């Protein structure tokens, strides 16, 4: 099981949109619709933002959306706000376990 | 709303055993709704899945850590525990307890995390 690949950083201005990618293989991201995304503010625990590729838990703004194409999943944050500045982690079921990406630091300029 | 709280030593000597406990509140550890999990985060970046225990005692351990891990559950105390043996500096991390949902596809509740440093 290898970690999923995320860009180390992403940035955009308030009000703009940003998309973070998460690349795996056909054995994980491409093979299952079990991709989830987590937001983590400094010193805090991760928070579930997206599950099963596109679904939002109750209380998560609809500015957050997820998608998948082949072996790459994506998280899009639209209408960026200052509080969106955080680390974002993707995760996928991999057939015999669960793997995460290395995390992406989102900066709101 | 399930709440999780990790507890245990913040400093462990090399070659010793790391022991952490997660106390569950706001929900029954015997409900069968969750797989009670451990996840760690080294150097403040990527997350690593360690393993889970189901209330029945069934376990899953990450292949990379399997030889050193034991996860157990005490339903009477609403607690589950992690033991990681023969630790090295590479095991220094923030350790989180979390719940894997019953379909096994996402982690919905997390503890606040506890930093464990391996050093002499």
């Amino acid at each position: 099981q290898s970690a999923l690949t995320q860009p180390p950083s992403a940035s955009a201005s308030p009000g703009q949109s940003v998309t973070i990618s998460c690349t795996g293989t056909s054995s994980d991201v491409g093979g299952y619709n079990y991709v989830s995304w987590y937001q983590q503010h400094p010193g805090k625990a991760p928070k579930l933002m997206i599950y099963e590729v596109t679904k939002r838990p109750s209380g998560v703004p609809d500015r957050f959306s997820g998608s998948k194409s082949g072996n790459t999943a994506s998280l899009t944050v639209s209408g960026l706000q200052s509080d969106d500045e955080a680390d974002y982690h993707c995760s996928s079921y991999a057939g015999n376990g669960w793997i995460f990406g290395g995390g992406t630091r989102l900066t709101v300029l | 709303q399930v709440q999780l709280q990790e507890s245990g030593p913040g400093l462990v000597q090399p070659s010793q055993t790391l022991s952490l406990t997660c106390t569950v509140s706001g929900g029954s550890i015997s409900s069968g709704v969750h797989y009670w999990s451990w996840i760690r985060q080294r150097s403040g970046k990527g997350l690593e899945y360690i393993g889970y225990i189901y209330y029945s005692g069934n376990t899953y351990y990450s292949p990379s850590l399997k030889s050193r891990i034991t996860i157990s559950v005490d339903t009477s105390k609403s607690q589950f525990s992690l033991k990681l043996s023969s630790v090295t500096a590479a095991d220094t991390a923030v350790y989180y307890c979390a719940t894997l949902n019953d379909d096994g596809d996402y982690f919905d509740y997390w503890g606040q995390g506890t930093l464990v440093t391996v050093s002499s």
Side-chain angles (χ1 to χ4, degrees):
Chain A
Q1 296 174 339
S2 298
L4 304 173
T5 300
Q6 296 182 239
S9 63
S11 63
S13 300
Q16 292 187 329
S17 296
V18 66
T19 297
I20 299 170
S21 62
C22 171
T23 301
T25 70
S26 58
S27 297
D28 39 69
V29 173
Y32 305 92
N33 287 324
Y34 281 178
V35 175
S36 52
W37 289 90
Y38 303 86
Q39 178 191 64
Q40 185 179 31
H41 286 109
K44 300 296 186 181
K47 173 188 175 184
L48 178 67
M49 303 300 284
I50 296 287
Y51 67 98
E52 293 175 6
V53 181
T54 62
K55 299 178 181 178
R56 280 188 310 276
S58 175
V60 173
D62 60 5
R63 300 185 296 103
F64 291 84
S65 62
S67 62
K68 188 181 82 168
S69 178
N71 297 334
T72 298
S74 299
L75 172 72
T76 297
V77 186
S78 59
L80 271 171
Q81 300 179 1
S82 58
D83 190 52
D84 298 333
E85 184 162 293
D87 290 334
Y88 290 84
H89 305 269
C90 63
S91 176
S92 176
Y93 179 64
N96 63 344
W98 292 261
I99 55 175
F100 290 89
T104 298
R105 173 68 53 86
L106 173 61
T107 300
V108 180
L109 300 172
Chain B
Q1 180 90 350
V2 173
Q3 294 182 316
L4 306 170
Q5 178 66 60
E6 305 89 350
S7 59
L11 181 64
V12 180
Q13 294 199 341
S15 79
Q16 299 302 302
T17 296
L18 178 159
S19 296
L20 295 173
T21 295
C22 182
T23 301
V24 179
S25 59
S28 172
I29 201 168
S30 302
S31 67
V33 175
H34 294 107
Y35 294 85
W36 306 98
S37 299
W38 289 98
I39 296 167
R40 71 181 182 180
Q41 185 171 30
R42 291 182 283 188
S43 66
K45 201 61 177 175
L47 298 162
E48 179 182 14
Y49 191 62
I50 297 171
Y52 71 68
I53 188 162
Y54 198 49
Y55 79 99
S56 61
N58 290 345
T59 56
Y60 164 85
Y61 298 152
S62 167
S64 64
L65 297 170
K66 187 174 185 176
S67 63
R68 299 195 290 132
I69 300 173
T70 301
I71 300 177
S72 58
V73 64
D74 186 335
T75 56
S76 67
K77 294 182 178 179
S78 288
Q79 294 177 334
F80 63 104
S81 299
L82 168 70
K83 292 188 184 299
L84 179 65
S85 64
S86 304
V87 297
T88 70
D91 294 310
T92 294
V94 175
Y95 286 78
Y96 294 98
C97 56
T99 57
L100 178 64
N101 76 310
D102 55 356
D103 285 334
D105 64 311
Y106 59 85
F107 303 96
D108 43 3
Y109 299 102
W110 297 68
Q112 65 184 26
T114 187
L115 174 62
V116 178
T117 301
V118 178
S119 175
S120 55

